[in-house]
Amino acid sequence: MAKIGIFVGTVYGNALAVAEEAQQVLEQQGHEVEVFEDATLEQWQVYLQQVVLVVTSTTGQGDLPDNIQPLYTELSDQLGYQPDLRYGLIALGDSSYDTFCGGGHTFDELLQEQGAKRFGELLLIDAAEVVEPEVFAQDWVEDWGTLL
């Protein structure tokens, strides 16, 4: 089974709720999982040979939430190439905005540029259609956990 770090970008708590539900699902599958709400580069680096799940909402004009922006900046400015990292990504947003799930797409693009290997497709959760994002994400998380 895999060692998985779930890194969360959240404003109102929806992304954190999705991350906590994902943790339960993945632990039931036998994975070792830890959730990071205010993650540091050092915490991320523990998972460079492991697996990361990024769960982030989108703010403003498609921006990352304040609590995950410093990690994103450090990954971009200090870490660089991550060829051994395997990851998945869940993005929350509102399709009534042009920047739907922009935070998640931004994080995904950075990881792709740095050579990380994404497992599965992005899960895009639309606040305009989904009332309980943590419930909506369950099937995706179960499937993603079996890919590892």
Side-chain angles (χ1 to χ4, degrees), residues 53 63 69 74 80 86-87 95 103 114 119 121 129 135 143:
L53 177 59
D63 302 320
Q69 184 65 51
E74 289 177 330
R86 298 180 298 157
Y87 76 98
S95 62
Q114 294 182 333
F119 278 71
E121 294 300 314
E129 297 179 8
V135 174
D143 291 344

Side-chain angles (χ1 to χ4, degrees), residues 61 110 116:
Q61 299 299 309
L110 174 66

Side-chain angles (χ1 to χ4, degrees), residues 3-82:
K3 180 177 179 181
I4 304 168
I6 301 179
F7 293 83
V8 182
T10 193
V11 177
Y12 299 111
N14 288 333
L16 181 59
V18 171
E20 290 171 344
E21 181 65 29
Q23 179 182 22
Q24 290 180 10
V25 169
L26 294 167
E27 286 176 344
Q28 288 171 356
Q29 291 180 336
H31 299 292
E32 179 185 334
V33 185
E34 189 168 357
V35 174
F36 301 94
E37 190 176 353
D38 291 303
T40 64
L41 182 60
E42 292 74 27
Q43 289 168 326
W44 181 277
Q45 288 175 311
V46 168
Y47 295 91
L48 288 179
Q49 306 286 324
Q50 307 293 331
V51 180
V52 164
L53 177 59
V54 176
V55 181
T56 187
S57 58
T58 300
T59 65
Q61 299 299 309
D63 302 320
L64 289 162
D66 289 344
N67 74 308
I68 202 169
Q69 184 65 51
L71 174 63
Y72 175 86
T73 301
E74 289 177 330
L75 289 172
S76 179
D77 294 348
Q78 297 176 32
L79 195 54
Y81 198 50
Q82 303 182 67

